[in-house]
Amino acid sequence: QVSEAAMTAVFGNATDPVTGAALGRPFPTRTGTDGVRRPSGVAGYDLTFTPVKSVSVLWALGDPTTRAAVEAAHHAAVTQTLGILEARVAATRIGPGGATRVPVRGVVAAAFDHPDTRHGDPNLHTHVVVANRVQATDGQWRTLDGQQLFAAGVALSETYDALLADEVARRLPVGLGWRDRGSRRTPAFEVDGIDDELLALFSSRSRDITSHLH
């Protein structure tokens, strides 16, 4: 469980939440209009893992066994994607101008599950806040290479989607098929038998965005 004190230590003070040891240089600070100095700069990066709408609908309308299976599939896909991020994406930079990219010993992150959208539609998703402090293989704590993380965003999202489809199909007697989702969205694996009309009923936020775009 992530405590408020632990979040403040890592993302506010750049310190170990258990030992209090510094995780590299402290975050820069600035003085607000109230005269209080607060951390500034990039403390972390928010990665959001969201199942396709049909999986969220299956979760929302399912019995307890189905709901548990969908949640397990979602968390398994998130965990596997984070493993790929740690193995292939996460790095830091050293040397003049940060010219040399070096590997790190994984990332420090906090995950928060949410059940719905701002409009109250079912939308099982997880925010993973990745700290902007990583330990290089030389033992020193430095900042995460944010440009590399940003560049890998789409690939990580597509990887999660594919892993989720596999995990759901492995845990439940359902099939998933490649489905077109309109001109403004890329195709995706959706659960067979949950039609577009039902998905639209639980997509009020998307409808509002579409209406504004038109």
Side-chain angles (χ1 to χ4, degrees):
Q1 295 295 314
V2 180
S3 68
E4 183 176 351
M7 290 293 293
T8 300
V10 175
F11 296 96
N13 304 324
T15 58
D16 188 305
V18 177
T19 67
L23 304 180
R25 297 177 181 177
F27 292 121
T29 60
R30 62 180 176 82
T31 303
T33 56
D34 56 2
V36 177
R37 294 194 65 79
R38 296 182 175 87
S40 63
V42 178
Y45 301 89
D46 179 28
L47 308 179
T48 304
F49 296 93
T50 306
V52 292
K53 180 58 71 172
S54 61
V55 172
S56 282
V57 170
L58 178 66
W59 168 76
L61 302 182
D63 58 27
T65 300
T66 299
R67 291 171 64 89
V70 172
E71 290 173 15
H74 167 64
H75 290 140
V78 170
T79 298
Q80 292 172 67
T81 305
L82 290 177
I84 293 170
L85 182 156
E86 290 188 306
R88 303 185 182 182
V89 178
T92 187
R93 291 188 174 274
I94 61 174
T100 304
R101 185 171 182 266
V102 297
V104 297
R105 296 178 59 201
V107 297
V108 178
F112 302 89
D113 291 336
H114 293 265
D116 54 19
T117 68
R118 295 188 185 99
H119 286 199
D121 292 322
N123 186 45
L124 175 68
H125 63 286
T126 299
H127 291 278
V128 178
V129 187
V130 179
N132 192 21
R133 287 292 185 272
V134 285
Q135 189 179 40
T137 50
D138 63 3
Q140 297 298 309
W141 287 88
R142 298 183 175 90
T143 56
L144 181 66
D145 184 353
Q147 290 184 334
Q148 185 73 13
L149 181 62
F150 179 79
V154 173
L156 291 172
S157 177
E158 293 293 330
T159 298
Y160 162 78
D161 288 345
L163 289 169
L164 177 70
D166 181 65
E167 292 291 340
V168 169
R170 187 164 63 85
R171 286 173 166 82
L172 292 169
V174 298
L176 291 96
W178 199 242
R179 192 181 306 184
D180 182 80
R181 301 189 298 173
S183 60
R184 296 185 182 275
R185 303 180 68 194
T186 58
F189 286 111
E190 297 279 8
V191 178
D192 296 336
I194 301 181
D195 60 33
D196 293 340
E197 183 177 357
L198 180 59
L199 299 185
L201 291 175
F202 291 106
S203 303
S204 57
R205 189 160 181 258
S206 294
R207 290 198 305 272
D208 287 352
I209 292 172
T210 301
S211 66
H212 282 295
L213 290 174
H214 288 306

